[in-house]
Amino acid sequence: MQEAAETLLDELTEAYVVGRREGKEPIGPEPDAEIAPTIRLIPRTPAAGPLSIALTEFPGVVLRLGRWFYEPLPECGCDDCDEDPEELVIELRRLVVAHVEGGLWERVRRGLTRSWLETRLIGPGLKISRRAPIDPAEARAARREGFAAPVRWAPWPRRPQRTDLP
């Protein structure tokens, strides 16, 4: 799974106008989340959302898209679940393609007692909607950054095709 993820990141770096950063980051939003080697791709246009893949000890990956979309692959990893590695690679590519083509929407909503984050990822054969509670400080910061209204991340800018090659 990790090798396929690294290959995908290389393909994205080659095809799109992005910056690439490698480091160690928490793999989840929790304060005590595991720290893992992470590769982050940041489009050169601020309207397009970032993507990162953390390489976990399992060996699996944690995909993060935009601000809040989070997807561990495999989701579980136990022998009973027996997730097919080939299907996981296909799913990883589907999620990433939907994002780089501009299919990710995110927002913060106020509820009666707390705020909620909402994400929606739409792509070919894919429609995922999620809602989760959000920390009040994070909700305020997100509203200041424009997430009170739905934010649709723009498609990633493609690299120009080279026509001067022999």
Side-chain angles (χ1 to χ4, degrees):
M1 183 71 202
Q2 291 183 352
E3 186 175 312
E6 290 188 53
T7 299
L8 175 59
L9 289 164
D10 291 342
E11 292 170 7
L12 292 168
T13 302
E14 186 79 21
Y16 295 93
V17 182
V18 294
R20 183 177 176 137
R21 294 187 189 150
E22 297 186 25
K24 292 191 179 237
E25 297 180 14
I27 62 169
E30 307 85 27
D32 61 343
E34 174 188 341
I35 305 292
T38 302
I39 302 164
R40 178 178 297 276
L41 299 182
I42 304 165
R44 297 282 187 203
T45 178
L51 171 154
S52 70
I53 294 181
L55 308 173
T56 64
E57 287 183 18
F58 173 61
V61 300
V62 174
L63 173 67
R64 293 187 69 108
L65 306 173
R67 187 172 181 136
W68 294 298
F69 190 91
Y70 171 89
E71 186 74 22
L73 297 163
E75 190 172 328
C76 176
C78 74
D79 290 338
D80 290 337
C81 291
D82 195 29
E83 295 173 278
D84 181 12
E86 289 180 20
E87 288 179 19
L88 292 172
V89 170
I90 291 168
E91 181 66 8
L92 173 65
R93 285 185 171 273
R94 285 175 24 143
L95 296 168
V96 168
V97 165
H99 176 56
V100 301
E101 290 181 353
L104 180 63
W105 299 69
E106 299 181 296
R107 77 176 298 177
V108 172
R109 289 199 138 185
R110 286 184 197 220
L112 293 175
T113 59
R114 68 179 314 154
S115 293
W116 299 85
L117 65 87
E118 295 178 346
T119 60
R120 186 177 312 147
L121 184 62
I122 300 170
L126 180 73
K127 185 173 183 179
I128 300 171
S129 294
R130 296 181 179 161
R131 183 177 172 189
I134 187 171
D135 175 74
E138 171 72 8
R140 283 190 299 277
R143 281 190 205 93
R144 280 192 302 273
E145 294 171 21
F147 286 90
V151 170
R152 178 179 178 217
W153 293 105
W156 284 16
R158 286 196 164 273
R159 290 195 185 277
Q161 296 291 331
R162 301 266 322 253
T163 57
D164 60 336
L165 296 176

